[in-house]
């Protein structure tokens, strides 16, 4: 039985139509689900993770060194970096604390566009990026 939410296809379309161009306007490169942007001496990582039933997703954020980082003896360049490597992550929409909160964007029926706009509103909060700046940068010397 299909859940009473937006379909995963509807959500993917809304993310591509609304959220991706918004992320591009903020300087993010890459493609869904893993994006990155250089900012200062480090890079912001942003990863979309869908729940297995497709009815909700989280967006995780974190920071890595612009030149990438070493992971178990292997160098991971920025373009292959994912938030799953990070010790410190933040879930978009949660309280601004490291590794705290479990905010899911739920796909309610016919609401894919509304959810996409909600994501954009969260990304536009200046305090979000001020907080991200306080997080550990994986691979940074020091």
């Amino acid at each position: 039985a299909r859940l009473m939410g937006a379909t995963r296809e509807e959500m993917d379309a809304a993310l591509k139509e609304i959220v991706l161009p918004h992320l591009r306007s903020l300087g993010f490169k890459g493609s869904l689900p893993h994006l990155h942007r250089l900012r200062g001496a480090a890079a912001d990582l942003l990863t979309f993770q869908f729940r297995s039933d497709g009815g909700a997703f989280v967006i995780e954020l974190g920071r890595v060194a612009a030149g990438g980082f070493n992971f178990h003896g292997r160098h991971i360049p920025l373009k292959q970096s994912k938030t799953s490597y990070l010790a410190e992550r933040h879930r978009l929409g949660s309280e601004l604390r490291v590794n705290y909160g479990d905010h899911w964007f739920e796909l309610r029926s016919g609401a894919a566009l509304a959810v996409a706009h909600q994501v954009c509103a969260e990304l536009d909060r200046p305090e979000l990026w001020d907080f991200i700046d306080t997080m550990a940068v994986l691979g940074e010397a020091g």
Side-chain angles (χ1 to χ4, degrees), residues 3 8 50-56:
L3 293 170
R8 174 68 195 271
F50 275 86
R51 205 167 58 203
S52 56
D53 68 10

Side-chain angles (χ1 to χ4, degrees), residues 2-139:
R2 183 160 121 53
L3 293 170
M4 283 305 297
T7 65
R8 174 68 195 271
E9 292 75 29
E10 288 168 336
M11 197 65 238
D12 282 345
L15 291 176
K16 288 187 176 109
E17 182 188 329
I18 294 166
V19 179
L20 203 52
H22 192 74
L23 286 167
R24 298 263 184 259
S25 76
L26 295 173
F28 280 89
K29 295 178 171 23
S31 55
L32 295 170
H34 303 289
L35 295 105
H36 62 272
R37 74 167 171 190
L38 288 171
R39 196 165 56 90
D44 296 320
L45 295 186
L46 186 149
T47 300
F48 290 79
Q49 289 177 325
F50 275 86
R51 205 167 58 203
S52 56
D53 68 10
F57 63 94
V58 296
I59 296 174
E60 288 195 330
L61 298 162
R63 305 268 283 155
V64 296
F69 56 93
N70 292 322
F71 190 78
H72 295 298
R74 202 171 118 238
H75 183 75
I76 310 289
L78 176 58
K79 284 186 160 91
Q80 289 167 21
S81 299
K82 301 178 172 95
T83 56
S84 54
Y85 290 113
L86 302 175
E88 291 196 0
R89 297 179 233 182
H90 172 66
R91 283 198 168 170
L92 191 68
S94 298
E95 190 179 318
L96 297 179
R97 286 162 60 185
V98 173
N99 297 340
Y100 178 85
D102 193 25
H103 183 81
W104 289 82
F105 292 94
E106 298 280 343
L107 310 187
R108 290 175 304 283
S109 182
L113 296 177
V115 171
H117 287 296
Q118 187 187 349
V119 169
C120 293
E122 288 290 334
L123 291 167
D124 284 344
R125 291 172 58 199
E127 63 269 27
L128 169 69
W129 301 108
D130 292 343
F131 167 71
I132 298 295
D133 282 340
T134 69
M135 294 173 65
V137 175
L138 180 61

